[in-house]
């Protein structure tokens, strides 16, 4: 509870008091006692807990990286005494924000407004509010926590992009693959009944002719699938800002598909991160998931492509990586033929880094050094 000044006065007072009595210097002893009494009064001054109520509001609760978010703390004096000399400290993302509090009369309230840090993605913890009270001489200090801790989410920055067209997904005459999604829009083929099939789809005439129960396989051919691979290895990027830009790129591409209620599969260097089936809340869920993505410890990006050999076929595969280490990206070669369209984004200042062309020489590569470059290159890719 004692400040450095308070400790200094207490030590000096004790020394002066002892020397004064031992050496017979009454003046020194009196000065030492006065110092000790001042410290004691300061401690008593700051000991009572002020009767205050603290409430916090954060707006907005979810914000894109770099956009403005504000915290508002309302302090109300619920006691019967006027409170002076108070100073509030709120902790936001590990950083302490100091807030000056004016004189609070009984029943009075004060709104402290301050900007919240939004430079980095993530779930940012806020609070609890610490209220600091000091004595007039600055010898003693007491900090008491008021209110509860809170948090807000900083999401990736998103730009508006079109969805890449992929041949099979938009072919309204029907799919060319038996692995297309089961649906109800278009007849594809007759096949043998398996346990669990809807009996309303049984084709009785064909069943009678073949002697085997046959059902209609219906498919939905209107939904383009997007498989998005984000390289989350820090060694793949030259700078931390390049990784943040890569997450923004992945968020923009995935959000473009999800907001149109198209299926999206998001994968990181370690494997699956999110699978969205095209429901109405997928765009929000995608941004929330990418807000929490951090650098992974994998040395290779190969695990991101595990399982894609059994992909349903068709749709688009977009790989977002940096201009650094390319370990494991050669796995793209073994899965690329499962997709109608494959695109590789190279995020960073050196988009022609050595070794990139050897990874996927026949895959279009888009150099990205900003979100503006993403918009321009992506729109060109969409009409290619």
């Amino acid at each position: 509870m004692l400040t450095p000044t308070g400790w200094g006065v207490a030590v000096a007072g004790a020394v002066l008091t002892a020397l004064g009595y031992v050496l017979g210097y009454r003046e020194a002893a009196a000065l030492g006692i006065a110092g000790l009494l001042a410290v004691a009064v300061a401690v008593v001054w700051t000991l009572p807990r002020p009767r205050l109520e603290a409430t916090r509001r954060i707006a907005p609760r979810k914000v894109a990286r770099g956009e403005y978010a504000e915290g508002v703390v309302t302090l109300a004096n619920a006691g019967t005494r006027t409170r002076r000399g108070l100073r509030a400290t709120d902790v936001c993302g590990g950083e302490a924000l100091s807030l000056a509090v004016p004189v609070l009369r009984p029943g009075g309230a004060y709104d402290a407004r301050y900007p919240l840090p939004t430079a980095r993605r993530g779930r940012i913890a806020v609070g609890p509010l610490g209220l600091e009270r000091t004595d007039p001489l600055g010898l003693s200090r007491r900090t008491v926590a008021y209110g509860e801790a809170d948090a807000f989410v900083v999401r990736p920055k998103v730009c508006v992009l079109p969805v890449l067209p992929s041949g099979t997904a938009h072919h309204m005459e029907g799919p060319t693959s038996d692995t297309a999604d089961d649906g109800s829009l278009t007849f594809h083929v007759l096949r043998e009944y398996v346990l669990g099939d809807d009996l309303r789809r049984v084709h009785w005439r064909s069943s009678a002719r073949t002697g085997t129960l046959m059902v209609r396989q219906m498919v939905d051919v209107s939904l383009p699938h997007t498989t998005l691979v984000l390289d989350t290895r820090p060694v793949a990027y030259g700078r931390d800002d390049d990784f943040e830009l890569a997450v923004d790129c992945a968020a923009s591409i995935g959000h473009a598909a999800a907001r149109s209620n198209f299926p999206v599969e998001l994968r990181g260097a370690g494997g699956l991160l999110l699978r969205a089936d095209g429901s109405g809340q997928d765009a929000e869920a995608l941004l929330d998931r990418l807000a929490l993505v951090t650098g992974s410890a994998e040395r290779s990006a190969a695990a991101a492509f595990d399982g894609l050999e059994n992909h349903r076929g068709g749709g688009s595969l977009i790989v977002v990586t940096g201009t650094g280490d390319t370990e494991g990206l050669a796995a793209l070669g073994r899965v690329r033929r499962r997709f109608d369209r494959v695109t590789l984004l190279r995020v960073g200042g050196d988009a022609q880094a050595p070794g990139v062309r050897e990874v996927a020489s026949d895959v279009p590569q888009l150099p990205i050094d900003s979100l503006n470059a993403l918009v321009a290159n992506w729109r060109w890719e969409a009409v290619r």
Side-chain angles (χ1 to χ4, degrees), residues 101-124:
V101 180
V103 175
L104 285 179
R105 301 188 182 281
Y110 171 71
D111 287 342
R113 299 176 178 270
Y114 52 93
L116 297 173
T118 62
R120 291 291 178 182
R121 294 173 299 104
R123 186 178 185 273
I124 311 300

Side-chain angles (χ1 to χ4, degrees), residues 285-297:
L286 179 75
L287 293 180
D288 288 343
R289 182 65 186 89
L290 283 172
L292 304 180
V293 166
T294 58
S296 58

Side-chain angles (χ1 to χ4, degrees), residues 168 171-176 186-188 219 221:
T168 300
H171 183 29
M172 298 308 296
E173 297 301 323
T176 60
T186 305
F187 169 74
H188 174 45
V219 294
V221 298

